Amino acid sequence: MPRVVHFEIYADDVDRVIKFYTDTFGWTVNQAPGMEYWLVMTGEEGPGIDGGIMARPDPAAVTTSIVEVSSVDDYTGKITDAGGTLVMPKAAIPTVGYVAYFKDTEGNPFGIFQHDESAA
């Protein structure tokens, strides 16, 4: 079946959102040669996808991605400390894990997910 293989994050301030994601998750971001487009590498091991960052093409353009983290509680603090806004607090997905939703410094929605089969 088809899988998600890329994401794009749209920004009003590209430098600010790059700082947000690199400081919060440790992602690597490099500008694509000759383009106003930044390639995002989210990791080298395990499942995951990479993506890109670009200037917001339209005021209504938004991105929603889910980021797997070791602890929703720990990353909630990291995200809000970095300037993100909590939209939906931690919620259990029974027998799967926990999720919470935020907006980054540019107002883009995203979620974080912690795998935990004991979630109730």
Side-chain angles (χ1 to χ4, degrees):
M1 81 178 72
R3 294 178 50 179
V4 175
V5 295
H6 188 79
F7 60 83
E8 289 185 332
I9 297 170
Y10 305 114
D12 297 315
D13 184 326
V14 170
D15 292 333
R16 181 174 60 196
V17 81
I18 288 171
K19 180 176 179 1
F20 175 82
Y21 283 106
T22 58
D23 287 355
T24 303
F25 298 115
W27 292 351
T28 302
V29 179
N30 294 299
Q31 189 168 5
M35 298 176 65
E36 291 297 312
Y37 192 84
W38 289 259
L39 298 171
V40 179
M41 184 174 194
T42 63
E44 296 180 9
E45 297 179 15
I49 61 171
D50 297 327
I53 293 173
M54 62 184 281
R56 190 179 311 280
D58 178 281
V62 297
T63 304
T64 302
S65 302
I66 305 297
V67 179
E68 187 171 4
V69 298
S70 56
S71 166
V72 167
D73 295 329
D74 290 349
Y75 275 87
T76 294
K78 284 185 170 190
I79 291 163
T80 56
D81 288 349
T85 305
L86 180 65
V87 174
M88 186 192 93
K90 180 180 175 181
I93 303 170
T95 72
V96 176
Y98 298 95
V99 67
Y101 290 90
F102 300 84
K103 287 189 178 179
D104 68 16
T105 56
E106 305 309 301
N108 294 308
F110 72 97
I112 58 174
F113 169 76
Q114 173 188 339
H115 185 268
D116 184 345
E117 293 176 0
S118 68

